[in-house]
Amino acid sequence: EKEKKEKDENRHLNVTLEQAEVMDKKKSKKDKGKAAFGWDVFNQDALHKAHKKRVKTALSNPDLVEYEKQKQEDPEFYRDANSLAAGGVGHKPTQEHLDAMVKDLMDAAERRSKFSRRRPEIVEADVDYINDRNKHFNKKIERAFGEYTKVIKENLERGTAL
């Protein structure tokens, strides 16, 4: 891994400036398209990328004329903490934009509901647990030590254990 990193850092030493720029452009384009994996889903870059994507779809057609009109009508359009009109009306989005936001939220909820699935219970399986947490623990133990404790478990089930 260390050699790979050093090779990546030194690759620009034997190429021209134009070639290096092309290589960097290709690398950045490749990195931009990469999907997040594992815990990287929750890092700041991934969250910012998702936010930009949502904003891009939500604000596909902003009504800047209406926004400017509301800004001109209200002298306290950008309120501060000392404003007496704090919590007042402010910017009023159009019904069209509200509907678009609701549709986006509904789509997000639908995508989340499809993401997770309920694992089916196997009715014929032996019950060797007292709750779900213990069931999960028993599965882990079985994976780790199952081949070594198979004979002991069979003897206990038959009642012929020492």
Side-chain angles (χ1 to χ4, degrees):
E1 170 120 1
K2 190 175 180 182
E3 292 173 9
K4 183 179 179 185
K5 190 173 184 178
E6 287 178 11
K7 183 180 178 185
D8 192 42
E9 291 172 357
N10 296 330
R11 68 187 166 113
H12 293 299
L13 296 176
N14 298 325
V15 295
T16 65
L17 178 64
E18 292 83 16
Q19 291 172 328
E21 287 175 348
V22 170
M23 289 165 54
D24 277 343
K25 191 173 181 181
K26 284 182 182 179
K27 187 173 182 352
S28 66
K29 187 176 180 182
K30 182 179 175 185
D31 289 344
K32 182 181 177 187
K34 275 188 181 174
F37 178 75
W39 287 105
D40 281 342
V41 172
F42 301 111
N43 72 15
Q44 291 301 314
D45 293 334
L47 294 175
H48 182 66
K49 188 176 177 183
H51 171 73
K52 285 194 331 189
K53 186 177 178 182
R54 283 193 307 272
V55 167
K56 186 177 171 185
T57 58
L59 298 177
S60 58
N61 57 350
D63 190 1
L64 295 178
V65 175
E66 180 66 27
Y67 181 75
E68 290 295 329
K69 182 179 156 193
Q70 287 181 15
K71 194 163 53 168
Q72 295 299 327
E73 290 174 0
D74 189 3
E76 291 191 353
F77 191 78
Y78 296 113
R79 293 181 179 86
D80 60 353
N82 299 324
S83 173
L84 295 176
V89 178
H91 174 66
K92 298 176 204 159
T94 62
Q95 188 62 36
E96 182 181 297
H97 285 103
L98 288 174
D99 292 341
M101 184 186 72
V102 169
K103 182 182 177 297
D104 188 44
L105 290 172
M106 294 296 212
D107 290 344
E110 184 179 338
R111 284 192 306 271
R112 276 195 307 272
S113 69
K114 290 180 181 177
F115 183 70
S116 181
R117 65 179 176 89
R118 178 98 175 132
R119 270 51 173 200
E121 292 288 327
I122 302 171
V123 179
E124 304 88 37
D126 291 334
V127 177
D128 61 349
Y129 53 89
I130 57 173
N131 56 26
D132 286 336
R133 189 173 177 190
N134 181 250
K135 179 180 178 182
H136 187 68
F137 177 77
N138 289 346
K139 281 184 181 179
K140 282 185 175 181
I141 293 294
E142 183 64 31
R143 275 197 308 266
F145 303 110
E147 61 186 88
Y148 307 112
T149 59
K150 186 176 181 182
V151 175
I152 298 171
K153 191 172 182 180
E154 288 173 353
N155 289 341
L156 284 171
E157 287 173 358
R158 276 196 311 263
T160 60
L162 295 177

